[in-house]
Amino acid sequence: MQNTVTPTHCPYCALQCGMNLTPAPDGSSVEVRERADFPVNRGALCGKGRTAPEVLSSRVRLTSPRVRDAGGALVPASWEEALGRVAEGLGRTRARSGADAVGVFGGGGLTNEKAYSLGKFARVVLGTSQIDYNGRFCMSSAAAAGNTAFGLDRGLPFPLEDIPRTGCVILVGSNPAETMPPSLRYFTELRENGGTLIVVDPRRTRTAEHADLHLAPRPGTDLALALGLLHLVVAEGRTDEAYVRERTAGWEETRAAAMAHWPEYVERITGVSVPELREAVRLFCEPEAAMVLTARGPEQQSKGTDTVGAWINLCLATGRAGRPLSGYGCLTGQGNGQGGREHGQKADQLPGYRKLTDPAARAHVAEVWGVDPESLPGPGRSAYELLDALGTDIRALLLMGSNPVVSAPRAAHVEERIRSLDFLAVCDVVLSETAALADVVLPVTQWAEETGTTTSLEGRVLLRRRALTPPEGVRSDLEVLHELAARLGGGRNLEKGFPTDPEEVFEELRRASAGGLADYSGITYRRLAEENGVFWPCPASGGPEEDVHPGTPRLFHDRFATEDGRARFVPVSHRPIAEEPDEEYPVLLTTGRVVAQYQSGAQTRRVDELNAAAPGPFVELHPRLAERIGAAEGEPVAVVSRRGRAVAPARITTAIRPDTVFMPFHWAGEGRANTLTNPALDPTSRMPEFKACAVRVEAVAAGEPARATPWADGSRPARRTPTLRWGAADRPRR
Ligand code: SF4
């Protein structure tokens, strides 16, 4: 008998690789195979995608609700009891302290249907403005900069297939060789075709090893680096004057700001030499087409919006945006990081990428929802601010698809805030570190057990299909929202607005998004199944079948999405990170991911093969720093910031700058990197500064008191920012 093969997509990152799932007839296992017909991953999967089915049958998977008993233990309960407890916990808080005392926290991994329903649930059923999601930590700076410059934010304004055909790519703070390995082939093909790859990263990552030029700036100085490159573009007469005149606005002020950033000044700030700056400008400007792609490196800073803006300015000044094979793009991280920010779980947004403060947007969405526009709350707090308000203004929280105890900045404080809540309900598939603190945990279905859409980093809307019957005892997130709407509606039958069929939700989402920036109204499940995805915007044609809108793989070729069709330069200047090193905390910490783990590790830490490859956290440090503190390979070192202390084994390598240490952020416990990170927020995007903070590094010998960094005990003369000297011999290398 032939087993049923279901074409679908990986549950993890924003590449959304195509895969075929074939369940064994007895349901005991699922075979994963690459989907050669899906053009993005072209038959490749990384280890995370290949092993994703293990979480479906993990022995630690939750298959019945848990409620906290009188003794404080989480014990199994019926769905009826658990849902009743959630409705009671949220409803009691709302009645006692007002709707805004109830918070909702979502995730960038939720399908479009779930993100849409969660935003509607918060605003229509709970009436709260206090909703945001962990995608705020992922891409909000790029979104803010893209919206300002282009009038529209879509991760990539072109398909990945354009990358091998351009002339040069500058990859800023991105490590796709580890975060989305199948995408690396686009960059290797670029080089095979004669193009060049420039990687900007303080570490010589696996991606940087593939680069023609690796620039290793001090963490938090990418803004100055971009300004220095723009300065040279102008000084060397490489500005595309005609393009600037015809397609942009605001150049003169931006030009003046860039001219204040002399290459020698930029070299002092960044550690990138003037000849390297000149070489980068030459490689970027000589070909006819070029791209800049950013990721979390420049974005997760307290000046992330300005930093991305500076890289966009470079593209605009050189005519590298809105033209074939040229442009600026953001490599989104989470599986539905793009769609998750378009349909209403973000604090300031309504579906279709509409603004909650826009009266016309409120009226449109309120009509689709069948409510009075006046009843919709205004914008709420951003993700970190929401978490910081738990236990004070916000007394109860419904959390779906997120694990902030591991993934939020200043995580020990966030954990303490979560513990101080009157009531916490968590929907998850395993007992994550955050779920373990809940009053009620609701076990939900996983990617292969439910249908839904996601939107990849290309802006391609995709259909994930149900391939398996979920285990008895779990329900979908959509079913949970339906049931809670029934219980919290006070007899108003609000559950009718929360269908449990994903396609029905998507049909409503289409209407809600119609006419918005992220217009999905011309996309149907049938089209998604037949066409391998559709790029938004895709408005409904309203005409006969043959008039169907084809979707928009490439944006901005005719005009930008601003009112006058011109892109906007935004003048920006260098400023330091929120917490520069000093005598007490003389080293910079930067954080990131490793190839075998994903985000907070809630899923991937439950997979044996991935745990064998990446069993725990580590502290990557340069041999010079290791020598100064007496650290040995594999031995524990403590990293201490103003927010706490983390301990993990040393990994000594010349691939990192001597003034910087790196920690991956996938783990909880004493090696939790986010215990250390700084929640200083970008004023526009409200993005925390995950990528750079001041720390002290200490060798920890068993049974001995920790040893301090030698220059933290006054043995060195005081300097305002005591960075280590950055000589040619210290260049990051493997
Ligand atoms: Fe999944 Fe991303 Fe790996 Fe592709 S690259 S298999 S989408 S985790």
Side-chain angles (χ1 to χ4, degrees):
M1 191 179 90
Q2 188 126 21
N3 296 338
T4 309
V5 179
T6 304
T8 189
H9 296 273
C10 175
Y12 295 123
C13 85
L15 202 59
Q16 286 296 285
C17 293
M19 54 171 62
N20 285 323
L21 297 183
T22 311
D26 64 356
S28 60
S29 62
V30 186
E31 184 189 76
V32 178
R33 290 245 178 218
E34 306 80 358
R35 252 177 82 187
D37 67 315
F38 187 64
V40 176
N41 54 310
R42 292 188 279 175
L45 291 174
C46 80
K48 297 184 288 280
R50 206 169 26 74
T51 58
E54 270 196 46
V55 190
L56 297 165
S57 55
S58 168
R59 62 186 168 75
V60 296
R61 177 160 187 198
L62 296 170
T63 51
S64 70
R66 305 278 172 95
V67 299
R68 204 163 287 283
D69 69 9
L74 273 176
V75 296
S78 69
W79 270 96
E80 200 54 33
E81 182 188 355
L83 288 166
R85 293 266 289 260
V86 177
E88 208 237 318
L90 302 180
R92 188 180 54 228
T93 302
R94 185 177 58 176
R96 196 167 53 200
S97 308
D100 276 358
V102 181
V104 176
F105 201 85
L110 300 178
T111 60
N112 290 319
E113 292 79 358
K114 293 179 188 181
Y116 171 84
S117 295
L118 192 63
K120 181 179 176 183
F121 179 84
R123 292 168 180 126
V124 172
V125 177
L126 297 172
T128 181
S129 66
Q130 300 302 303
I131 173 169
D132 211 53
Y133 78 125
N134 63 18
R136 174 80 66 172
F137 300 155
C138 178
M139 41 32 72
S140 52
S141 295
N147 278 323
T148 303
F150 306 129
L152 182 78
D153 152 48
R154 195 181 85 184
L156 295 180
F158 44 74
L160 284 162
E161 68 184 44
D162 284 3
I163 290 175
R165 296 185 292 133
T166 191
C168 175
V169 174
I170 306 183
L171 204 47
V172 191
S174 174
N175 185 11
E178 299 223 37
T179 56
M180 43 182 74
S183 72
L184 196 63
R185 66 172 58 185
Y186 292 101
F187 300 101
T188 50
E189 284 173 17
L190 162 76
R191 298 186 67 218
E192 284 163 12
N193 293 342
T196 53
L197 176 65
I198 302 172
V199 170
V200 178
D201 200 304
R203 303 163 63 218
R204 187 160 181 84
T205 60
R206 291 185 191 178
T207 306
E209 284 174 359
H210 292 265
D212 297 279
L213 178 63
H214 172 212
L215 307 178
R218 193 167 168 263
T221 63
D222 337 45
L223 172 53
L225 182 69
L227 282 159
L229 297 179
L230 184 55
H231 179 111
L232 284 170
V233 164
V234 177
E236 294 177 4
R238 296 181 186 270
T239 311
D240 187 334
E241 304 283 354
Y243 173 93
V244 167
R245 205 169 42 246
E246 287 157 22
R247 298 207 55 188
T248 70
W251 169 230
E252 277 313 315
E253 225 183 314
T254 294
R255 182 181 164 283
M259 294 320 283
H261 292 76
W262 287 90
E264 293 75 12
Y265 171 55
V266 169
E267 179 182 294
R268 277 204 306 281
I269 296 168
T270 63
V272 177
S273 70
V274 173
E276 287 174 315
L277 294 171
R278 288 193 189 283
E279 178 64 357
V281 167
R282 187 185 71 77
L283 293 175
F284 186 65
C285 292
E286 280 187 352
E288 251 180 53
M291 299 172 177
V292 172
L293 304 178
T294 67
R296 305 303 82 74
E299 298 164 15
Q300 289 180 326
Q301 297 183 27
S302 61
K303 53 179 187 292
T305 306
D306 282 1
T307 304
V308 174
W311 289 103
I312 292 175
N313 288 343
L314 181 69
C315 289
L316 294 177
T318 51
R320 270 88 163 84
R323 278 177 164 170
L325 306 180
S326 278
Y328 160 78
C330 154
L331 294 168
T332 307
Q334 293 191 82
N336 196 27
Q338 181 67 47
R341 73 201 199 226
E342 296 164 0
H343 298 298
Q345 63 176 332
K346 196 156 171 262
D348 54 354
Q349 278 178 7
L350 288 170
Y353 224 135
R354 287 185 157 89
K355 285 197 172 79
L356 198 45
T357 48
D358 174 3
R362 293 169 69 88
H364 173 84
V365 174
E367 191 184 347
V368 174
W369 289 353
V371 300
D372 180 351
E374 292 296 314
S375 71
L376 296 177
R381 291 177 173 89
S382 73
Y384 180 75
E385 292 166 297
L386 189 156
L387 294 170
D388 191 36
L390 300 181
T392 55
D393 294 355
I394 300 173
R395 309 294 317 175
L397 184 72
L398 173 65
L399 188 139
M400 198 175 266
S402 189
N403 187 14
V405 166
V406 177
S407 61
R410 197 186 173 196
H413 171 73
V414 167
E415 180 175 342
E416 185 251 348
R417 294 287 86 223
I418 290 173
R419 287 180 187 276
S420 71
L421 280 165
D422 294 341
F423 181 79
L424 172 65
V426 173
C427 300
D428 211 328
V429 301
V430 293
L431 200 64
S432 71
E433 287 75 9
T434 308
L437 305 180
D439 297 285
V440 180
V441 184
L442 301 174
V444 288
T445 46
Q446 297 191 46
W447 57 288
E449 300 159 351
E450 56 190 18
T451 295
T453 61
T454 59
T455 306
S456 76
L457 78 174
E458 298 177 297
R460 190 194 297 254
V461 185
L462 301 163
L463 184 63
R464 275 202 206 143
R465 298 167 175 90
R466 175 174 158 142
L468 303 165
T469 305
E472 221 172 290
V474 307
R475 297 190 186 180
S476 74
D477 292 299
L478 294 180
E479 287 174 298
V480 168
L481 294 176
H482 176 90
E483 291 295 334
L484 292 178
R487 286 165 174 78
L488 286 160
R492 290 177 291 158
N493 294 329
L494 291 184
E495 69 276 16
K496 286 188 181 154
F498 295 87
T500 57
D501 173 16
E503 188 166 4
E504 212 178 312
V505 177
F506 190 79
E507 287 300 307
E508 186 181 303
L509 183 158
R510 290 176 61 200
R511 294 200 304 282
S513 76
L517 285 172
D519 190 334
Y520 283 34
S521 59
I523 305 174
T524 61
Y525 269 32
R526 184 183 57 74
R527 282 191 68 181
L528 293 178
E530 289 171 359
E531 297 178 31
N532 254 338
V534 178
F535 290 83
W536 72 259
C538 180
S541 68
E545 187 87 344
E546 59 269 24
D547 282 351
V548 163
H549 191 287
T552 316
R554 294 172 182 84
L555 293 166
F556 311 141
H557 281 194
D558 301 326
R559 66 192 308 278
F560 293 97
T562 54
E563 257 179 39
D564 60 7
R566 289 168 175 266
R568 296 284 182 276
F569 281 101
V570 177
V572 292
S573 290
H574 164 69
R575 60 180 189 275
I577 56 172
E579 189 183 66
E580 284 283 3
D582 56 18
E583 288 303 309
E584 200 178 349
Y585 301 98
V587 176
L588 283 162
L589 167 72
T590 192
T591 62
R593 289 166 50 186
V594 297
V595 67
Q597 299 287 351
Y598 179 71
Q599 306 294 62
S600 79
Q603 293 137 296
T604 50
R605 282 189 276 119
R606 270 88 185 175
V607 176
D608 290 344
E609 183 182 325
L610 300 178
N611 276 336
F618 56 87
V619 180
E620 189 176 287
L621 71 168
H622 192 275
R624 280 180 59 196
L625 178 56
E627 191 186 335
R628 286 185 186 214
I629 66 169
E633 177 71 20
E635 295 300 318
V637 292
V639 183
V640 187
S641 79
R642 289 181 175 83
R643 291 153 294 281
R645 181 176 193 266
V647 178
R651 191 174 287 185
I652 300 170
T653 171
T654 54
I656 192 165
R657 295 173 55 102
D659 59 3
T660 301
V661 294
F662 167 83
M663 288 186 75
F665 66 86
H666 309 290
W667 289 273
E670 72 166 359
R672 179 173 61 183
N674 276 319
T675 299
L676 308 163
T677 48
N678 188 354
L681 299 180
D682 179 284
T684 306
S685 66
R686 319 305 287 167
M687 167 73 88
E689 192 148 72
F690 288 99
K691 285 298 178 194
C693 70
V695 295
R696 187 169 70 236
V697 189
E698 302 165 344
V700 181
E704 281 182 26
R707 293 171 59 188
T709 35
W711 55 90
D713 59 9
S715 62
R716 261 164 59 116
R719 287 171 55 181
R720 203 177 64 79
T721 53
T723 51
L724 291 173
R725 265 196 51 189
W726 178 233
D730 299 323
R731 308 208 56 70
R733 61 178 185 268
R734 287 203 180 269

